[in-house]
């Protein structure tokens, strides 16, 4: 099956700093990628849809200036959490759309201290 | 009201048992339906799509009732390796684009 990687798998950062998370489709090209966030014991919530070569589409309530998304190539999308705060601590998961199905990355666990 | 609702469980069942999970969705325009499996601290993985006619994949059977906006998953002959959280997922388009996830139902299969 299609493989999607994420880096880093785990990151701890201090409050006020920025963190970049990479999502790569390894064996297929993805014009569309998605970013989700999952808090403990809650469902995955879609944050934004990332389209190669254009601006991301953010879901209601997600601050686009805080969660910067760049999808500069057909195999890479990045999510930057700017000025991170403890409430941003969560499990961030990306997915890439290929052949009508979403393939998920392994997730990045962000802890902001 | 949540868009996709599931009983969070946990469901604790002995190995070999049959267990059923239910899910309801609020958007009558939803078109595609799926069950995903998520292991602790891992990404979700597609278990099976759900069709109106019902479908079966080995020990797993999924059913969809559009009139009642209700989806079910039946697992027969439970294995220890079935222990996971099962996520009910719907989309409002014909393709797997914008997925809406339920909170999941946790299953623990014991010896």
């Amino acid at each position: 099956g299609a493989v999607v990687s994420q880096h880093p798998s785990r990151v701890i950062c201090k409050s006020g700093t920025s963190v970049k998370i990479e999502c790569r489709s390894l064996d297929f090209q993805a014009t569309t990628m998605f970013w989700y966030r999952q808090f403990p014991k809650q469902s995955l919530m879609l944050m934004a849809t990332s389209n190669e070569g254009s601006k991301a589409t953010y879901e209601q309530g997600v601050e686009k200036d805080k969660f910067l998304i760049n999808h500069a190539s057909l195999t890479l999308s990045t999510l930057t959490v700017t000025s991170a705060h403890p409430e941003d601590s969560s499990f961030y998961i990306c997915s890439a759309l290929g052949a009508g199905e979403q393939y998920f990355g392994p997730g990045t666990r962000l802890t902001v201290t | 009201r949540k868009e996709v609702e599931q009983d969070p469980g946990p469901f604790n069942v002995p190995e070999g048992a049959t267990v059923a999970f239910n899910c309801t969705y609020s958007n009558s325009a939803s078109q595609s339906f799926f069950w995903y499996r998520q292991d602790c601290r891992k990404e979700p993985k597609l278990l099976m799509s759900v069709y109106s006619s019902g479908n079966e994949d080995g020990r797993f059977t999924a059913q969809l009732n559009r009139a009642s906006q209700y989806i079910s998953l039946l697992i027969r002959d439970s294995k220890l390796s079935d222990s996971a959280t099962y996520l009910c997922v719907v989309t409002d388009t014909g393709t797997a684009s914008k997925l809406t996830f339920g909170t999941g139902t946790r299953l623990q299969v014991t010896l």
Side-chain angles (χ1 to χ4, degrees), chain A residues 10 34 36 38 43-44 46 59 91 93 97 100-102 104-106 109, chain B residues 36 38 41-46 87 95-99 101-104:
Chain A
R10 183 174 295 193
F34 303 88
Y36 296 84
Q38 185 177 32
S43 60
L44 274 78
L46 179 65
E59 294 299 302
F91 190 46
I93 306 176
L97 188 62
E101 184 177 334
Q102 285 191 39
F104 286 86
R109 192 160 299 280
Chain B
Y36 277 73
Q38 186 175 27
R41 297 175 176 263
K42 301 282 189 181
E43 77 276 22
K45 296 193 176 183
L46 179 64
L87 306 171
T95 60
S97 54
K98 185 175 175 179
L99 303 179
F101 286 80
T103 52

Side-chain angles (χ1 to χ4, degrees), chain A residues 18-34:
Chain A
S18 295
V19 175
K20 182 187 280 189
I21 303 170
E22 293 185 350
C23 177
R24 293 181 186 271
S25 56
L26 297 185
D27 50 1
F28 67 104
Q29 294 183 329
T31 55
T32 303
M33 292 185 174
F34 303 88

Side-chain angles (χ1 to χ4, degrees), chain B residues 88-102:
Chain B
C88 178
V89 182
V90 305
T91 72
D92 59 3
T93 62
T95 60
S97 54
K98 185 175 175 179
L99 303 179
T100 301
F101 286 80

Side-chain angles (χ1 to χ4, degrees), chain A residues 99-112:
Chain A
E101 184 177 334
Q102 285 191 39
Y103 298 93
F104 286 86
T108 296
R109 192 160 299 280
L110 170 64
T111 302
V112 185

